[in-house]
Amino acid sequence: MSVGFIGAGQLAHALVKGFTAAGVIATHRITASSPDTDLPTVLGLRKMGVNLTTSNKETVNKSDVLFLAVKPHIIPFVLDEIGPDIEDRHLIVSCAAGVTISSIEKKLLQYRSAPKVMRCMTNTPVVVKEGATVYATGTHAEVEDGKLLEQLMASVGFCTEVEEDLIDAVTGLSGSGPAYAFTALDALADGGVKMGLPRRLAVRLGAQALLGAAKMLLESEQHPGQLKDNVCSPGGATIHALHFLESGGFRSLLINAVEASCIRTRELQYLADQERISPAAIKKTTLDKVKSGLSLFNNRGSGLKKKN
Amino acid sequence: VANWLCKSCHIMSVGFIGAGQLAHALVKGFTAAGVIATHRITASSPDTDLPTVLGLRKMGVNLTTSNKETVNKSDVLFLAVKPHIIPFVLDEIGPDIEDRHLIVSCAAGVTISSIEKKLLQYRSAPKVMRCMTNTPVVVKEGATVYATGTHAEVEDGKLLEQLMASVGFCTEVEEDLIDAVTGLSGSGPAYAFTALDALADGGVKMGLPRRLAVRLGAQALLGAAKMLLESEQHPGQLKDNVCSPGGATIHALHFLESGGFRSLLINAVEASCIRTRELQYLADQERISPAAIKKTTLDKVLQQPGVTVGGVANGNSKSGLSLFNNRGSGLKKKN
């Protein structure tokens, strides 16, 4: 089984790094395509032994499982370009936030009668094999296609199937979650440094404390509130600290963050569905590189129709 | 299980004075790591009904109500009681400490010098170490630092490090950093549990079932922390890498920053550290009144064999229990 990535950016790089560390696929069976051959991630992929190309068609031809790992607004271009090359064997897995299965199927149905499409939302910790992934199954994908994807993604972390309508919420929580964690870790380290710790030690201890606590919760039947109670001795240091968090509305900020990310995801999806993304909103260099043989939301995709 | 704790070909026994959350978590971690067999572990506690006591017994640990028995059966002795109990314990076990014993205090805010001062009444060179760990040792992902006392040798440090490294990260530090470590990684899991509860609430608000929301939130934090530990990059750089232009994540981050999210965490670390120093200061000043110590605890401590109640022998009529007495031949209860 061969795997292909349309797009060779952060996501493709993280997934390939995780897959190869997990030993679930050999790098020579992986192909990735990108118009920009100078990206650090492209160089990283090449170093890992992945077949790099500037041709999306080549990636399609060499793959069975095809990950769409490009930014959401690029997806329509890509689908129009590779549509004619999709075969029965292909399993298309879109990782693009906010892009619905039905929008992808609608495009591909111009080329094939039963395109096998799945949608997944993962996150960057796949790179250390501790990702969080959910996936939803499209109209023509079989049970075994789901199992195949799950086998791949479970090799790099937690993976479960969900109904598609939950994916935007998952984006807000575990898709964006690592960014909340990195912000917290930076602040915790600042706190440690303020109280006298050297920076490296403060970063290490903060990260280790968060990692350990998260692992405790994953392996426990207990409520996080109970686990919190267990570490707050009467009149002790920890409960004093917690009071500051609560006074500042710490919990509320995190709820706000999850909500904001989810809402923005839905907003981007709505904008895409309305076909209101102008060429100007797409970086000019990207558009130029993508130009060869593509049209934007065309029904007849036989060549470039450039709209101004 | 080939990696048992040993020193000079002598397989070590480990004892815990106190059989509460900390002892339970450490034993669970040590046994999962295979670094010591449970039959070589003894723990003592006056209260035999604690859930943690039952848990320890289930794991095969030797349970007793006698601290002296724990001392006699151990080489490495963890003091896993609340800070204000430490002086009582030291007075009780002082006479039973031998040359082989390595005393490791896990009590927040209790200084090596205060422990050495007490034990020097009984031995000329008591081997004392101080450590600050945290509860994730129970899943072998703890964060531990330790400082070495006046009479502890290099190999004692290596022995402790071998034990604690089996259950997570462990490094030696100068003692003056330990209060800050308490504020950061000692209390840190509580900050994380609070965050995880809130993240799950956020997921549930946006439509996820609770169990899935808890799972995804915890997995996201775990994965991010692991990325940072395994990366040379700055956390700010890692944050940048996941914020695509105009995307969902940067919108979310704006809410965190607007609310002073970072500042709340700095406040928390600071508050925990300051409270630790405060408790240490209060202990040093011998100002903890009997009322501050739960009555039941005192009663149970008084019931221990070998603990006597003597009359007041010195002239300072301080109200409160005499902690850190110079003449520690028994409990002197002052009213």
Side-chain angles (χ1 to χ4, degrees), chain A residues 138-157:
Chain A
T139 320
H140 310 285
E142 315 267 339
V143 167
E144 61 234 27
D145 296 317
K147 292 303 160 203
L148 185 67
L149 180 62
E150 196 163 324
Q151 188 185 347
L152 260 176
M153 300 310 296
S155 76
V156 292

Side-chain angles (χ1 to χ4, degrees), chain A residues 10 71 123-125 127-128 130-132 134 158 160 162 166 169-170 173-174 176-188 190-192 194-198 201-219 223-224 227-228 230-231 233 235-238 240-242 244-246 248 250-251 253-266 268, chain B residues 21 82 134-136 138-139 141-143 145 169 171 173 177 180-181 184-185 187-199 201-203 205-209 212-230 234-235 238-239 241-242 244 246-249 251-253 255-257 259 261-262 264-277 279:
Chain A
Q10 295 278 350
K71 299 279 195 294
N123 65 1
T124 45
V127 74
V128 292
E130 289 290 357
V134 300
F158 172 71
T160 191
V162 294
L166 296 186
V170 173
L173 177 52
S174 54
S176 296
Y180 317 155
F182 296 137
T183 307
L185 289 165
D186 203 5
L188 284 170
D190 280 346
K194 179 175 180 179
M195 306 319 292
L197 299 180
L201 181 61
V203 172
R204 186 77 201 253
L205 290 173
Q208 186 64 38
L210 282 210
L211 190 152
K215 192 173 182 194
M216 275 180 78
L217 181 56
L218 286 170
E219 297 190 8
H223 190 284
L227 293 174
K228 181 265 289 172
N230 291 349
V231 302
S233 42
T238 304
H240 275 68
L242 281 190
F244 274 92
L245 293 184
E246 302 291 2
F250 181 75
R251 295 172 185 258
L253 297 181
L254 287 164
I255 298 175
N256 291 346
V258 174
E259 180 178 54
S261 171
C262 178
I263 286 175
R264 178 63 178 168
T265 300
R266 292 174 183 164
L268 291 170
Chain B
Q21 295 278 351
K82 299 279 195 296
N134 64 2
T135 45
V138 73
V139 293
E141 289 289 357
V145 300
F169 172 71
T171 192
V173 295
L177 297 186
V181 173
L184 176 53
S185 54
S187 296
Y191 316 155
F193 296 136
T194 306
L196 290 165
D197 203 5
L199 285 170
D201 279 347
K205 178 173 179 179
M206 305 321 292
L208 299 180
L212 180 62
V214 171
R215 187 76 200 257
L216 290 173
Q219 187 64 38
L221 282 209
L222 189 152
K226 191 171 182 197
M227 276 181 80
L228 181 56
L229 285 170
E230 297 190 8
H234 190 283
L238 294 174
K239 180 265 290 176
N241 291 349
V242 301
S244 41
T249 304
H251 275 68
L253 280 190
F255 274 92
L256 294 184
E257 303 290 1
F261 180 75
R262 295 173 185 258
L264 297 181
L265 286 164
I266 298 175
N267 290 347
V269 173
E270 182 179 52
S272 171
C273 177
I274 286 175
R275 178 62 179 171
T276 300
R277 291 174 184 163
L279 290 170

Side-chain angles (χ1 to χ4, degrees), chain B:
Chain B
V1 179
N3 223 11
W4 287 355
L5 192 72
C6 64
K7 183 180 172 183
S8 310
C9 298
H10 164 68
I11 296 182
M12 308 295 279
S13 295
V14 170
F16 290 87
I17 306 288
Q21 295 278 351
L22 180 61
H24 184 257
L26 282 172
V27 171
K28 207 159 177 203
F30 291 156
T31 49
V35 76
I36 185 165
T38 44
H39 67 268
R40 302 201 79 91
I41 303 177
T42 309
S44 48
S45 167
D47 185 342
T48 52
D49 288 334
L50 288 173
T52 48
V53 169
L54 302 171
L56 285 164
R57 186 173 289 128
K58 251 196 225 174
M59 286 191 268
V61 168
N62 306 307
L63 264 300
T64 169
T65 50
S66 161
N67 287 338
K68 286 177 183 302
E69 185 182 335
T70 298
V71 174
N72 292 336
K73 286 182 170 169
S74 308
D75 304 304
V76 179
L77 189 66
F78 283 94
L79 305 183
V81 291
K82 299 279 195 296
H84 55 267
I85 302 294
I86 294 280
F88 294 107
V89 165
L90 294 175
D91 269 330
E92 183 192 351
I93 65 175
D96 297 291
I97 302 296
E98 310 268 330
D99 281 344
R100 74 176 189 279
H101 282 112
L102 176 61
I103 315 287
V104 182
S105 166
C106 305
V110 177
T111 59
I112 289 175
S113 85
S114 69
I115 298 171
E116 285 179 343
K117 191 167 146 186
K118 265 221 167 280
L119 292 180
L120 281 165
Q121 306 165 43
Y122 305 102
R123 297 208 76 74
S124 55
K127 295 193 293 183
V128 178
M129 305 192 71
R130 175 181 176 187
C131 86
M132 168 50 50
T133 183
N134 64 2
T135 45
V137 290
V138 73
V139 293
K140 296 189 291 164
E141 289 289 357
T144 306
V145 300
Y146 68 94
T148 311
T150 320
H151 309 284
E153 317 265 338
V154 167
E155 63 229 28
D156 297 316
K158 292 304 159 204
L159 189 69
L160 180 62
E161 196 164 324
Q162 186 184 348
L163 258 177
M164 300 310 296
S166 76
V167 291
F169 172 71
C170 179
T171 192
E172 184 174 10
V173 295
E174 293 300 319
E175 191 182 6
D176 62 343
L177 297 186
I178 292 189
D179 295 333
V181 173
T182 306
L184 176 53
S185 54
S187 296
Y191 316 155
F193 296 136
T194 306
L196 290 165
D197 203 5
L199 285 170
D201 279 347
V204 170
K205 178 173 179 179
M206 305 321 292
L208 299 180
R210 173 67 56 173
R211 275 183 71 96
L212 180 62
V214 171
R215 187 76 200 257
L216 290 173
Q219 187 64 38
L221 282 209
L222 189 152
K226 191 171 182 197
M227 276 181 80
L228 181 56
L229 285 170
E230 297 190 8
S231 169
E232 293 299 311
Q233 293 186 308
H234 190 283
Q237 180 64 55
L238 294 174
K239 180 265 290 176
D240 289 356
N241 291 349
V242 301
C243 290
S244 41
T249 304
I250 194 71
H251 275 68
L253 280 190
H254 190 187
F255 274 92
L256 294 184
E257 303 290 1
S258 299
F261 180 75
R262 295 173 185 258
S263 182
L264 297 181
L265 286 164
I266 298 175
N267 290 347
V269 173
E270 182 179 52
S272 171
C273 177
I274 286 175
R275 178 62 179 171
T276 300
R277 291 174 184 163
E278 195 172 60
L279 290 170
Q280 176 182 322
Y281 177 79
L282 290 173
D284 286 349
Q285 295 305 310
E286 304 182 27
R287 290 205 195 295
I288 298 184
S289 69
I293 299 169
K294 281 195 314 195
K295 184 176 186 302
T296 51
T297 305
L298 181 59
D299 284 346
K300 288 189 167 129
V301 164
L302 285 174
Q303 284 159 24
Q304 298 321 300
V307 174
T308 59
V309 178
V312 173
N314 59 32
N316 354 332
S317 53
K318 263 186 267 183
S319 66
L321 289 159
S322 80
L323 308 171
F324 300 107
N325 252 0
N326 283 337
R327 299 276 162 254
S329 59
L331 234 207
K332 294 187 182 52
K333 193 165 157 194
K334 296 183 180 177
N335 283 330

Side-chain angles (χ1 to χ4, degrees), chain A residues 7-301:
Chain A
Q10 295 278 350
L11 181 60
H13 184 257
L15 281 172
V16 170
K17 208 160 178 203
F19 290 157
T20 50
V24 76
I25 183 165
T27 44
H28 67 268
R29 302 200 78 87
I30 304 177
T31 309
S33 48
S34 165
D36 186 342
T37 50
D38 288 334
L39 288 173
T41 48
V42 169
L43 302 172
L45 284 164
R46 186 174 289 126
K47 251 196 225 172
M48 286 192 268
V50 167
N51 306 307
L52 265 299
T53 171
T54 50
S55 161
N56 288 338
K57 288 178 185 298
E58 184 181 335
T59 298
V60 174
N61 292 336
K62 286 182 170 170
S63 309
D64 306 303
V65 179
L66 190 66
F67 283 93
L68 305 182
V70 291
K71 299 279 195 294
H73 57 268
I74 302 294
I75 294 279
F77 294 104
V78 165
L79 293 174
D80 269 328
E81 183 193 354
I82 66 174
D85 298 291
I86 302 295
E87 310 269 330
D88 281 342
R89 75 175 189 278
H90 282 112
L91 175 60
I92 317 285
V93 182
S94 166
C95 305
V99 178
T100 59
I101 289 175
S102 85
S103 70
I104 298 171
E105 286 179 344
K106 187 169 149 185
K107 268 226 165 276
L108 292 179
L109 281 165
Q110 307 166 43
Y111 306 100
R112 294 207 78 72
S113 55
K116 295 194 292 185
V117 177
M118 306 192 71
R119 176 182 175 186
C120 86
M121 167 50 52
T122 183
N123 65 1
T124 45
V126 290
V127 74
V128 292
K129 296 189 290 164
E130 289 290 357
T133 307
V134 300
Y135 68 94
T137 311
T139 320
H140 310 285
E142 315 267 339
V143 167
E144 61 234 27
D145 296 317
K147 292 303 160 203
L148 185 67
L149 180 62
E150 196 163 324
Q151 188 185 347
L152 260 176
M153 300 310 296
S155 76
V156 292
F158 172 71
C159 179
T160 191
E161 184 174 8
V162 294
E163 293 301 320
E164 191 182 7
D165 61 345
L166 296 186
I167 291 188
D168 296 333
V170 173
T171 306
L173 177 52
S174 54
S176 296
Y180 317 155
F182 296 137
T183 307
L185 289 165
D186 203 5
L188 284 170
D190 280 346
V193 170
K194 179 175 180 179
M195 306 319 292
L197 299 180
R199 173 67 58 173
R200 275 184 71 96
L201 181 61
V203 172
R204 186 77 201 253
L205 290 173
Q208 186 64 38
L210 282 210
L211 190 152
K215 192 173 182 194
M216 275 180 78
L217 181 56
L218 286 170
E219 297 190 8
S220 168
E221 293 300 311
Q222 292 185 308
H223 190 284
Q226 179 64 55
L227 293 174
K228 181 265 289 172
D229 289 356
N230 291 349
V231 302
C232 291
S233 42
T238 304
I239 194 69
H240 275 68
L242 281 190
H243 191 188
F244 274 92
L245 293 184
E246 302 291 2
S247 299
F250 181 75
R251 295 172 185 258
S252 182
L253 297 181
L254 287 164
I255 298 175
N256 291 346
V258 174
E259 180 178 54
S261 171
C262 178
I263 286 175
R264 178 63 178 168
T265 300
R266 292 174 183 164
E267 194 172 61
L268 291 170
Q269 176 183 319
Y270 177 79
L271 291 172
D273 286 347
Q274 297 304 310
E275 301 181 25
R276 291 205 193 293
I277 298 184
S278 69
I282 300 166
K283 279 194 316 198
K284 185 176 186 304
T285 50
T286 307
L287 182 59
D288 284 345
K289 287 186 170 133
V290 154
K291 258 199 299 191
S292 39
L294 304 174
S295 57
L296 179 57
F297 293 108
N298 253 1
N299 282 338
R300 300 274 163 257

